[in-house]
Amino acid sequence: MTSRHCTRRCYASDFDNISKEILTTATSIFRCLVVTRAPFPDTIAVETKLAKEAWREAGQIKGTNVKLTPTAVKILLKCTSHVRGELKTKMRTLTHSFFGFRSSDSREVIRHNRDLAESLKEGSAFVFKDWTMKKGIYKTELLQEGINIMWFVNRRFHERTAPYKLLERICDNLLDTARFHAGVDAPTASSAAFCIDDEAFEDAIREHQLEEERGVDDNKS
């Protein structure tokens, strides 16, 4: 990769045309990897590894082999805070209206918001479709709304993300999370985190069975 010597902050425009194309593609891939593989990386080494993977995939997509430089790594790593900030900003607005948080400086409203937040965190209630009864695990519409506003707003989503297999990455990440809570995988560094109990999964299975039974009855009638 060739780029002009930087005595100032470097930008993508500092690179030659071929490197610029690789960087643009790698940036999109890196954003996907950050969200699906390491939303909360422990060290900079984790992010750097993802940057290298994104650069390698971008080179394969473009059919060329361009050396990754420290400057390009720095540009890619800047995307980490950007994509997290974008996701947090969008989810904050959605969460505010979805769960009924109120906007006010009054003590009553502040107390209401605090109590609501604590109740939603208790037993990870916020991941359920019915967060009061804890029914419908991972069926909350908030998750889908978040995915839609973050990734599917642009009508060219499929065209632009197909080479990066974004949907497959999201599915893999959801599967890994489900395996962790189901206790399928071996203990990891995050094993100390809260695990959804077996009763919640049993309720979800029973709920699914009842839905299937109702569907069969409807077809018969």
Side-chain angles (χ1 to χ4, degrees):
M1 178 191 300
T2 59
S3 63
R4 296 192 296 271
H5 178 68
C6 289
T7 56
R8 55 176 177 76
R9 184 176 179 180
C10 291
Y11 299 91
S13 58
D14 293 313
F15 298 91
D16 60 69
N17 291 335
I18 296 178
S19 298
K20 220 181 297 185
E21 287 187 18
I22 299 294
L23 183 60
T24 300
T25 302
T27 299
S28 297
I29 297 174
F30 183 72
R31 282 171 56 90
C32 298
L33 293 177
V34 167
V35 173
T36 59
R37 296 264 294 278
F40 302 103
D42 297 326
T43 64
I44 192 69
V46 174
E47 296 180 4
T48 301
K49 183 178 179 181
L50 294 180
K52 291 179 179 179
E53 183 176 338
W55 189 267
R56 183 170 57 254
E57 282 194 35
Q60 292 173 351
I61 292 172
K62 296 298 182 180
T64 185
N65 183 19
V66 178
K67 182 180 179 181
L68 176 62
T69 66
T71 301
V73 171
K74 289 180 180 179
I75 293 177
L76 287 173
L77 294 187
K78 289 175 184 175
C79 297
T80 306
S81 59
H82 292 169
V83 70
R84 286 197 194 123
E86 180 183 353
L87 184 57
K88 285 181 180 179
T89 299
K90 292 178 177 178
M91 288 305 299
R92 185 180 295 115
T93 302
L94 289 176
T95 302
H96 182 277
S97 58
F98 187 84
F99 288 115
F101 285 98
R102 293 149 59 186
S103 299
S104 175
D105 292 331
S106 72
R107 291 184 178 181
E108 180 183 352
V109 171
I110 293 174
R111 187 183 305 111
H112 166 270
N113 288 341
R114 183 185 62 241
D115 292 344
L116 178 56
E118 291 297 330
S119 66
L120 289 171
K121 291 193 296 182
E122 180 68 28
S124 294
F126 61 91
V127 303
F128 293 89
K129 183 175 183 178
D130 183 342
W131 60 86
T132 56
M133 300 299 295
K134 292 187 178 179
K135 300 291 185 180
I137 188 171
Y138 297 132
K139 290 185 177 180
T140 171
E141 295 178 0
L142 180 62
L143 292 178
Q144 187 61 59
E145 288 180 10
I147 292 173
N148 289 346
I149 197 172
M150 184 66 183
W151 302 109
F152 292 90
V153 172
N154 192 319
R155 294 184 178 181
R156 297 181 58 202
F157 174 84
H158 293 292
E159 175 187 342
R160 297 179 62 182
T161 62
Y164 321 136
K165 300 181 179 179
L166 175 59
L167 185 57
E168 289 87 342
R169 294 180 192 280
I170 293 174
C171 291
D172 287 343
N173 185 257
L174 289 174
L175 179 59
D176 289 341
T177 301
R179 283 176 174 170
F180 167 71
H181 286 293
V184 175
D185 289 339
T188 63
S190 59
S191 59
F194 171 81
C195 292
I196 297 173
D197 57 35
D198 294 339
E199 184 179 353
F201 284 101
E202 291 171 358
D203 289 342
I205 293 172
R206 285 195 293 270
E207 181 182 353
H208 177 68
Q209 290 173 338
L210 289 173
E211 288 178 354
E212 286 190 332
E213 291 174 3
R214 284 196 293 269
V216 172
D217 292 339
D218 291 342
N219 291 333
K220 288 181 179 180
S221 60

